Amino acid sequence: MALMEDITGAIVVTGATGNVGRALVRMLSEAGSPVTAVARSVTVADVPAGVRAAPADLAEPAGLRAAFAGAQALFLLVAGEDPHGVLAEAKSAGIRRVVLLSSQGAGTRPEAYRHPRLFEEAVKESGLDWTILRSGGMATNALAWAESISARREAAAPFGDVGLPFVDPDDVAAVAAAALLGDGHLSAIYTLTGPAPTSPRERAATIAAALGEPVRFTEQTEEEAHALMSRFMPLPAVEGTLAILGRPTEEEQRPSPDVERVLERAPGSFADWAARNAPAFR
Ligand SMILES: NC(=O)c1ccc[n+]([C@@H]2O[C@H](COP(=O)([O-])OP(=O)(O)OC[C@H]3O[C@@H](n4cnc5c(N)ncnc54)[C@H](OP(=O)(O)O)[C@@H]3O)[C@@H](O)[C@H]2O)c1
């Protein structure tokens, strides 16, 4: 049964050194929550003062025991093969709420996004209070251009003119903080996007404007992009991602109202994100 109480005790944030997790740790810590930051390689140097750093691997649930001890809530990302052991450890530690960061594809392309789907099912069946965040593509994916834009003022991507409403990871973190701390988001599945679709060509131009210098955009073929992405992503993820980037459904192209519904303000635009992150491309 859902426990309709706010969370005032410790919150465990997995993926705490990532784009979303880092922002979430900061937000929760600023809100006065005790926070434990988990990632495989996290150290005290990675977290704000007062936050506990607990290095652990989501693929090895028993190693999470120390991090989970005394916590009330868990921010979980899709990592490791099987979420059941992690959720069992969370329950036996007394954690009562879990907020899962999943992918929009779990809803729009369940066959290709089986792994996030497995995590969603496990969270729903866990007996914990749950909220699922289905993120669309994130603005931080543009950091893949950081090196080529810094070095040569060049950006390459497939499907140059296909628009998607990329979400600012700070907005994903802010929605996660709301769901972790408040009691109004139990059993909700939110789709998180930015306010408007932008194409890769437009995103390169937006970064150029933030830099005050031109950036040359080159369109890759799907085969080129497939070969490059296969170096660091498993095959189903490459295929699922390329399908969304190149042949998005109407739903995947449509901005979702959920960020604004939860935060009571409009989601940040790609231009906002690029302006804040221009130094990464200098
Ligand atoms: N980028 C997108 O467009 C997009 C869209 C939808 C959903 N998502 C989801 O959002 C998640 C977070 O995105 P992000 O940009 O914040 O990711 P990110 O910057 O790549 O960071 C990933 C974080 O997770 C940690 N991590 C990875 N594997 C782990 C494991 N086995 N055990 C414990 N910690 C682990 C990493 O630290 P260590 O390496 O030190 O462990 C790091 O802190 C992604 O993992 C993905 O599932 C992303």
Side-chain angles (χ1 to χ4, degrees), residues 225-251:
H226 193 291
L228 287 168
M229 289 164 74
S230 299
R231 289 190 202 157
F232 59 92
M233 282 166 84
L235 191 60
V238 172
E239 287 174 354
T241 303
L242 283 172
I244 291 187
L245 293 177
R247 296 169 287 282
T249 64
E250 195 257 333
E251 187 182 346

Side-chain angles (χ1 to χ4, degrees), residues 14-21 38-42 56-59 77-80 101-104 135-138 140-141 169:
T14 64
T17 55
N19 297 304
V20 175
V38 170
R40 287 166 300 186
S41 60
V42 66
D57 189 338
L58 283 163
L77 76 167
V78 174
L101 176 53
S102 180
S103 293
Q104 185 178 24
S135 176
M138 292 191 203
T140 29
N141 293 350

